[in-house]
Amino acid sequence: MSFEINGKPFSQMPRAGQCLRTFLRELGHFGVKKGCDAGDCGACTVLLDGEPVHSCLIPAFRAEGRAITTIEGFGCGDGGTHPMQQAFLDAQGFQCGFCTAGMILTCASLNQAQRTDLGAALKGNICRCTGYRSIEDALDGRTNVDDVVEAGGAFGRSLPAPAGPDIVRGKARYTFDTEIEGILHIRLLRSPHPHAKIVAIDKTAALNVPGVHAVLTHDDAPDRLFSTARHEKDWMDPEDTRVLDDVVRFIGQKVAAVVAESEAAAEKACRRLRVDYKILPAVVDPEQAMAPGAPIVHPDRTTEHRVANAQRNIVAETHGEFGDVAAALATSAVTYEGTFTTQRVQHAALETHGGLAWLDPSGVLNVRSSTQVPFLTRRALADIYNLPMDKVRVFCERVGGGFGGKQEMLVEDILALAVLKTGRPVKLELTREEQFIATSTRHPMRVHIKAGADAAGKLTALQLDVLSNTGAYGNHAGPVLGHAVAESISVYNCPNKKVDAVAVYTNTVPAGAFRGYGLPQTLVAVEAAIDELARQLGISPYDIRRRNVVRPGDPMLSPPPSEYHDVAHGSYGLDQCLDLVERAMQADAPRPDLSADWLIGESIALTMIDTVPPAGHIADAMITLNDDGGFDLTVGTAEFGNGTSTVHRQIAASALATTADNIRLKQSDTAHGGHDTGAYGSAGIFVAGKATHAAAERLANMLKAAAAEAWLCDSATCTLDDNSVVSGVRRISFAELARNAQEQGEVLAASGNSQGTPRSVAFNVQGFRVAVNKGTGEIKILKSVQAADAGVVANPMQCRGQVEGGVAQALGAAMYEEMVIDAQGRIINAKFRDYHLPSFADVPRTEVLFAETSDTIGPMGAKSMSESPYNPVSAALGNAIADATGIRFTSTPFKPDRLFPALHEKFGD
C-alpha cells in the first residue's frame, strides 16, 4: 500500500480489518483520538482527500492512494497554525480539548451554506465540556482572550489556557498519547450475570492463544477490601470491593484479566475462558432491595466495613429532625407534597478510563492514568499491594474530561496487578461500552418532599425522604447522600426540618461521584416545592425565595447536625443572583412565532454548594525562581478542562508581579513531591489555589528580603514591580536575584499548603423560558440565564465557559440522557447513539451573569464554580414546564413521550 499522511508518503501495511484511526495512531499521529469507535463523537476526525471523515469507521486499506490530513499536519507550513486553529485559540473554543482536533477539522471544512445551519453541520462532533458557545465564537471569528496583560495584573483577566497552542495543533498529550516499547495489552472478561458465585475458571484454552502472557483471576489478586472511591479520609466510603472477586454483583463486573502482546490476542483469549458460575438471586429495584427476604448483595459486610446494614442492603443512611415538622405542616397556610425520581446518567467523558503502567529500573511502579486523584490512587495501590509509598508513582498528563467519574480507582488496580505479575509494561483502555456498563454513574434517586409555608410566604416546614440507588458497590454512597440532603435545604431558613435518607445496594452498575454530587437530584424536588408553595400563595418565584433564603449570619442547617462547623459565608451574592436573573428574564426579547399548540412558561431554581468536601482536603504547592527570572510552579491538582492550570499561573503571576507566561507549571505527578487530595469537590482553585497563593506570597517576601540584604535596607521598603524588586529609585531584577542566590549556593524557593478549611459557599440561580407543545410534548428553550456568585472571578472567560458547560451537560440529563436498565440489570443503551449526548443543535445559548462579591476565605477573593452551575438546571426546567402547562412532572428526564400522556389527558387532541 502507498498513501500520504500530512503531505508525506507512507507504505506501511495495515493489519487485516484495522480501522484508519488505530492505524494512524500506531504511526504516531496522536491527535486522532478514540472517543467511541462507532462514528458517534467525531474525536477521530481526519481529512481524507480534503473531506472530514470519522476515521474509526474507515477501513485503513481504503486510504490507499489517498491524501490523509490529521490535525498535526493541518497548520500552514512546518509548525504553523491554520486560520481555524488560530480561531479556536482566539475564542478558546475548548476546555478539556479531547474533541478539539476533530472539531477543528470539521469546522474548517464547512462551506458558507453549512455555516448557516451549524446544528446540522456539527452533528457528528460532540463536545462534553464547553456548551458549544465558544466553538461558535471561533467560527464567527470572535476573540475572547484579553490582549497583553501587564505584569502583576493576571488575576481577574481572561487569559488563555497555557496548553491551548498544543491542543489546537494536536500536540497536547493525553493518557495514551505515547509509545512504550514492549507494552502488553489487557482485556477484561466481564460478568454476564447480575449476581453469581464463580465456582471455577478454566484458563487452558485462553493461555494457548499465541501472544498471551497471563490470565489473572481472583486467585491472583490480593484478598483485600477497599473502595474504588477516592477521598482524603478512607472512612468516608465502605470497604466492599476487591481487585478481582469470586462473587460478581452486576452485569459487566470484571471477572478476569488477560494480558497479551496485542488487544486482538487478549480479546480472543477472553472469549476462550470458561467460567463456571453458580447463579445467585439478584435485586435490581432499590425499594425491593430493602424489603424483607430480598437477596443480599454483600452478606459478609458489617459496620466494620463501614456498611450501615448489609442485611437490608443499606450501605449508608442519615436521619434527623429540627423542630416538629408534622405539627408545622398541620398548621401551615399552604402545603405541598410530592415524589420525584431522577435517572441514572453517564459522565460520558470523551476520554474513557484507562492507563499505562510499568516498573522502572529502580523498581518503582509507575502508573500513567486518566485520573482526577493521582495522589490518593498512589496511596490505595501502596496499601493494596503492600508497597512502600516511595515505590509507587501515579501521574496524569492532560485528562480528557472527568466530571467526577475519575475520582475513582477503576483501572489502576488491574494495571498494577498485571505489571507486578508479568514484569512488563501494560496498557488498559476501556471501550465506550465498558465505560457505560462497568465504571460509575450518577446515583438514581427517589425523593419525597413535604413543605409548608405561612400566609406571608415564610417556610414553616421542609421534609426530605430520599432513597438512593448506589448499585452493586458503595463508592461515594454515603457522602453523596449526605451532600444531597444538606445544601438543598440548608440554603433556606425554616424552623422545622426533617431528613430521612438511605442509600441501598442493588445488582446494577455502581453509582459514584458526578458533578454536583447529589444536589441535582434533590433540588428537582426542593425547588419544585418552593415554586408550588409560591403558586398557591400568589407570590412570584423570586419573592418567595427572597423571603426564605439564608443571609449572612444565618445558620446553614440541615438535620442531622453536622460535626463539621467550618462552613461560612465567605461572600454572599445570592441576592444579587436573584436580581440579575429576574432582570434578565424580564428584559425584552424577540418571541418566536409559535402556533397556539405551544404553551409558554418560565421559572427559576437556585442552589448553594459548599466549596470543599468536609473532613479535610489538602494541597501543597512549591514555586522556585529560575536563573532567567521565570518561575517553576509545582502543584498536584490535575487539569481536565476545569481551567485550574490557567488560574494557578494567574494567582502566582499576580502575587509575584510577573506575567502568567513567566510561570512554568508542573502538575499532577506524585513524583514531584508534596500531596494533593485531588481535583474534585470544587477544590481545584479554592484549596490548591490557596496553596499556590501562599507559596507565591512567601517567595515574594523572600525576594524582597534578598533585595533588602543586597541594599542594606529594610525589606518593608521593598515592593515587587514588573519582574523586579523596587525600593525608592533602586531596582533589581528577579534574574539578578536568582544569580546572586546561586553564587551563594542558594535557591530562592517557597512552599505553600492549604488544608481545605474553613469552607465557603457558592450560589447559582438558573432561569428558563420554555415552550411546550401540548400535542407532542416537545420542549423548546426560548431563554436560558444563569447568575453565579463566584467571588472575584479569576478568569471571566473560563468561568463563563464552566457555567455554560455545566448548563449544557445538565440540560442533557434534564431532557433526554438516561441509562436504560432492563429487569435483569443489563444496560441496553451502552453507546452514544442510543444515549443522546447534547450536540450543538440541542444546546441554547445561556446568558451568564456574575454577582460582584469577594470571598474572604478563597484565594484572592475567588471561590468555586465548577460543579454548582449544573445543579439548578433540571429543577429550573421542571419549574418552567410546570408554569407553561399547569402540570407538575416529577420524573427526569423530561422527554416528550413522558410529557405527552399528561398533556393529552389535560388538553386532548
Side-chain angles (χ1 to χ4, degrees):
M1 285 183 62
S2 63
F3 49 93
E4 182 183 283
I5 303 177
N6 299 330
K8 297 179 181 179
F10 283 81
S11 59
Q12 279 85 344
M13 181 69 71
R15 296 188 303 277
Q18 186 173 26
C19 74
L20 184 57
R21 180 192 67 78
T22 60
F23 187 47
L24 291 170
R25 285 185 61 83
E26 288 177 3
L27 293 175
H29 299 283
F30 294 125
V32 185
K33 301 295 186 222
K34 169 189 170 180
C36 65
D37 271 348
D40 295 333
C41 74
C44 68
T45 300
V46 300
L47 301 182
L48 195 59
D49 290 339
E51 292 296 320
V53 297
H54 291 172
S55 60
C56 68
L57 297 181
I58 305 293
F61 77 86
R62 292 194 178 276
E64 184 171 13
R66 306 179 73 177
I68 304 164
T69 304
T70 72
I71 193 68
E72 292 94 337
F74 194 53
C76 302
D78 187 23
T81 304
H82 185 277
M84 187 57 70
Q85 291 171 315
Q86 187 60 51
F88 268 70
L89 280 177
D90 293 341
Q92 292 287 282
F94 52 83
Q95 286 182 21
C96 85
F98 199 79
C99 73
T100 303
M103 191 74 73
I104 287 174
L105 291 171
T106 298
C107 288
S109 304
L110 302 180
N111 58 38
Q112 284 304 117
Q114 289 171 319
R115 286 183 177 227
T116 63
D117 187 358
L118 291 178
L122 297 180
K123 66 181 180 181
N125 290 81
I126 296 294
C127 176
R128 188 58 159 166
C129 298
T130 65
Y132 298 102
R133 187 270 313 163
S134 59
I135 292 171
E136 185 177 11
D137 284 354
L139 280 162
D140 290 342
R142 292 191 179 94
T143 297
N144 294 326
V145 297
D146 283 346
D147 292 331
V148 177
V149 175
E150 69 281 2
F155 196 82
R157 304 292 293 276
S158 293
L159 298 190
D166 284 345
I167 288 172
V168 302
R169 296 183 184 121
K171 294 181 179 180
R173 290 295 173 250
Y174 294 80
T175 307
F176 297 106
D177 296 342
T178 187
E179 295 178 354
I180 298 178
E181 187 176 350
I183 198 162
L184 302 178
H185 299 264
I186 301 173
R187 298 303 301 153
L188 299 171
L189 179 70
R190 298 190 178 277
S191 170
H193 306 295
H195 200 190
K197 171 78 173 175
I198 297 173
V199 178
I201 300 178
D202 185 351
K203 307 178 183 180
T204 307
L207 289 169
N208 286 333
V209 173
V212 170
H213 285 250
V215 176
L216 306 174
T217 71
H218 60 270
D219 291 329
D220 303 290
D223 189 20
R224 175 90 180 247
L225 289 171
F226 61 95
S227 173
T228 62
R230 298 289 86 221
H231 284 107
E232 182 62 38
K233 300 294 193 298
D234 288 341
W235 56 257
M236 299 184 77
D237 303 289
E239 293 178 332
D240 59 7
T241 306
R242 289 191 172 98
V243 176
L244 290 167
D245 207 332
D246 61 350
V247 176
V248 290
R249 297 177 175 88
F250 68 98
I251 295 172
Q253 181 171 332
K254 55 186 181 288
V255 172
V258 175
V259 189
E261 294 285 346
S262 68
E263 286 192 50
E267 190 70 43
K268 184 176 182 179
C270 276
R271 290 196 295 268
R272 293 193 177 184
L273 286 170
R274 296 293 176 260
V275 185
D276 183 10
Y277 294 101
K278 178 185 177 183
I279 306 302
L280 301 174
V283 60
V284 172
D285 181 84
E287 295 273 5
Q288 295 174 7
M290 294 188 297
I296 302 174
V297 180
H298 290 275
D300 298 331
R301 306 295 175 255
T302 68
T303 54
E304 291 183 1
H305 301 107
R306 300 188 287 275
V307 175
N309 186 345
Q311 302 310 305
R312 292 192 61 209
N313 288 318
I314 296 174
V315 60
E317 58 185 328
T318 183
H319 307 275
E321 183 172 12
F322 298 152
D324 189 333
V325 167
L329 288 170
T331 57
S332 296
V334 291
T335 61
Y336 175 76
E337 181 174 359
T339 300
F340 295 75
T341 58
T342 61
Q343 79 280 25
R344 194 181 294 274
V345 182
Q346 233 293 317
H347 302 82
L350 289 190
E351 182 186 44
T352 61
H353 282 77
L356 310 165
W358 65 94
L359 290 169
D360 66 22
S362 64
V364 173
L365 171 64
N366 289 263
V367 181
R368 171 175 168 149
S369 172
S370 183
T371 180
Q372 297 172 226
V373 283
F375 288 82
L376 299 188
T377 299
R378 174 183 65 166
R379 189 167 71 193
L381 293 177
D383 288 345
I384 291 169
Y385 292 104
N386 294 315
L387 298 171
M389 288 280 280
D390 62 358
K391 290 297 183 181
V392 183
R393 174 197 179 202
V394 178
F395 68 104
C396 56
E397 299 292 341
R398 193 167 182 90
V399 176
F403 317 117
K406 294 174 183 176
Q407 192 196 336
E408 305 267 0
M409 186 178 68
L410 297 172
V411 296
E412 295 87 351
D413 53 344
I414 282 287
L415 285 162
L417 179 65
V419 168
L420 296 173
K421 290 292 184 179
T422 66
R424 293 275 298 273
V426 296
K427 171 186 176 181
L428 172 58
E429 182 177 12
L430 297 192
T431 66
R432 181 55 58 186
E433 181 180 6
E434 286 179 301
Q435 191 78 16
F436 269 89
I437 69 170
T439 58
S440 65
T441 73
R442 187 178 292 285
H443 286 79
M445 290 189 188
R446 184 223 67 202
V447 183
H448 187 78
I449 187 164
K450 295 180 182 180
D454 63 21
K458 294 288 288 182
L459 290 173
T460 56
L462 283 172
Q463 179 175 338
L464 284 177
D465 185 325
V466 178
L467 175 61
S468 174
N469 182 353
T470 196
Y473 293 91
N475 35 308
H476 296 279
V480 165
L481 190 70
H483 198 237
V485 299
E487 295 102 289
S488 61
I489 59 173
S490 61
V491 70
Y492 290 109
N493 275 320
C494 180
N496 305 286
K497 296 179 180 178
K498 185 177 182 181
V499 164
D500 290 289
V502 177
V504 301
Y505 287 124
T506 60
N507 294 112
T508 59
V509 61
F514 200 134
R515 194 176 197 172
Y517 213 66
L519 282 173
Q521 296 96 305
T522 49
L523 283 170
V524 170
V526 173
E527 292 298 299
I530 301 298
D531 256 31
E532 290 294 331
L533 295 176
R535 182 186 58 79
Q536 293 180 53
L537 292 166
I539 301 173
S540 82
Y542 300 93
D543 286 343
I544 194 169
R545 288 172 172 84
R546 290 187 180 103
R547 297 177 195 186
N548 290 287
V549 293
V550 293
R551 305 273 177 181
D554 292 341
M556 295 173 281
L557 300 174
S558 62
S562 173
E563 59 185 286
Y564 304 104
H565 304 286
D566 61 342
V567 180
H569 289 114
S571 70
Y572 184 84
L574 180 53
D575 50 354
Q576 292 183 52
C577 290
L578 286 165
D579 292 346
L580 287 166
V581 171
E582 185 172 28
R583 284 197 296 269
M585 295 297 291
Q586 290 174 347
D588 290 337
R591 294 295 181 109
D593 185 16
L594 297 174
S595 70
D597 289 335
W598 292 90
L599 309 168
I600 296 177
E602 63 181 61
S603 195
I604 62 167
L606 62 79
T607 184
M608 177 179 78
I609 191 171
D610 296 345
T611 53
V612 184
H617 198 106
I618 300 167
D620 296 322
M622 178 176 287
I623 191 162
T624 304
L625 176 64
N626 295 321
D627 295 348
D628 62 358
F631 300 88
D632 284 338
L633 173 62
T634 302
V635 297
T637 188
E639 172 64 60
F640 52 96
N642 47 354
T644 55
S645 294
T646 314
V647 175
H648 279 289
R649 294 164 85 234
Q650 290 179 261
I651 290 171
S654 295
L656 290 163
T658 187
T659 54
D661 58 4
N662 218 22
I663 308 292
R664 292 179 285 270
L665 190 65
K666 297 190 294 183
Q667 63 187 126
S668 55
D669 188 337
T670 61
H672 292 157
H675 180 74
D676 191 282
T677 298
Y680 70 87
S682 305
I685 292 173
F686 193 83
V687 180
K690 287 181 73 172
T692 289
H693 191 235
E697 288 278 283
R698 290 191 182 106
L699 183 55
N701 290 332
M702 292 174 66
L703 296 175
K704 287 185 268 190
E709 183 178 351
W711 292 329
L712 301 177
C713 72
D714 186 349
S715 64
T717 67
C718 298
T719 59
L720 302 189
D721 177 68
D722 194 8
N723 295 290
S724 301
V725 180
V726 177
S727 178
V729 297
R730 292 174 291 193
R731 175 182 290 267
I732 185 170
S733 71
F734 293 162
E736 187 175 351
L737 285 172
R739 289 193 292 271
N740 292 345
Q742 189 177 43
E743 290 172 0
Q744 299 173 28
E746 298 175 354
V747 175
L748 290 171
S751 60
N753 171 270
S754 176
Q755 298 289 315
T757 184
R759 299 179 287 153
S760 187
V761 288
F763 300 99
N764 297 72
V765 177
Q766 173 71 43
F768 282 119
R769 180 178 300 126
V770 303
V772 182
N773 190 301
K774 62 184 178 182
T776 66
E778 181 186 357
I779 300 170
K780 292 181 183 292
I781 296 177
L782 307 180
K783 190 176 184 68
S784 172
V785 180
Q786 187 168 129
D789 171 18
V792 176
V793 180
N795 188 309
M797 172 189 62
Q798 282 194 171
C799 196
R800 178 187 175 193
Q802 287 293 307
V803 175
E804 291 169 333
V807 172
Q809 192 176 52
L811 274 173
M815 297 182 70
Y816 33 76
E817 289 186 46
E818 182 176 22
M819 294 176 66
V820 181
I821 298 182
D822 67 16
Q824 286 71 49
R826 179 178 290 102
I827 296 165
I828 62 175
N829 61 334
K831 53 184 179 290
F832 280 163
R833 70 180 53 190
D834 294 334
Y835 180 71
H836 191 169
L837 287 176
S839 66
F840 187 97
D842 297 316
V843 180
R845 280 216 170 203
T846 293
E847 183 179 353
V848 179
L849 307 165
F850 293 112
E852 295 183 4
T853 65
S854 180
D855 197 88
T856 58
I857 303 172
M860 302 182 73
K863 55 186 175 185
S864 70
M865 198 46 56
S866 55
E867 292 184 273
S868 54
Y870 187 113
N871 294 346
V873 171
S874 283
L877 185 63
N879 286 345
I881 293 169
D883 184 56
T885 65
I887 304 169
R888 174 58 65 181
F889 295 95
T890 58
S891 293
T892 59
F894 301 118
K895 294 181 178 180
D897 58 336
R898 291 192 177 169
L899 272 57
F900 173 78
L903 291 169
H904 182 71
E905 181 179 351
K906 180 173 182 178
F907 298 105
D909 295 330

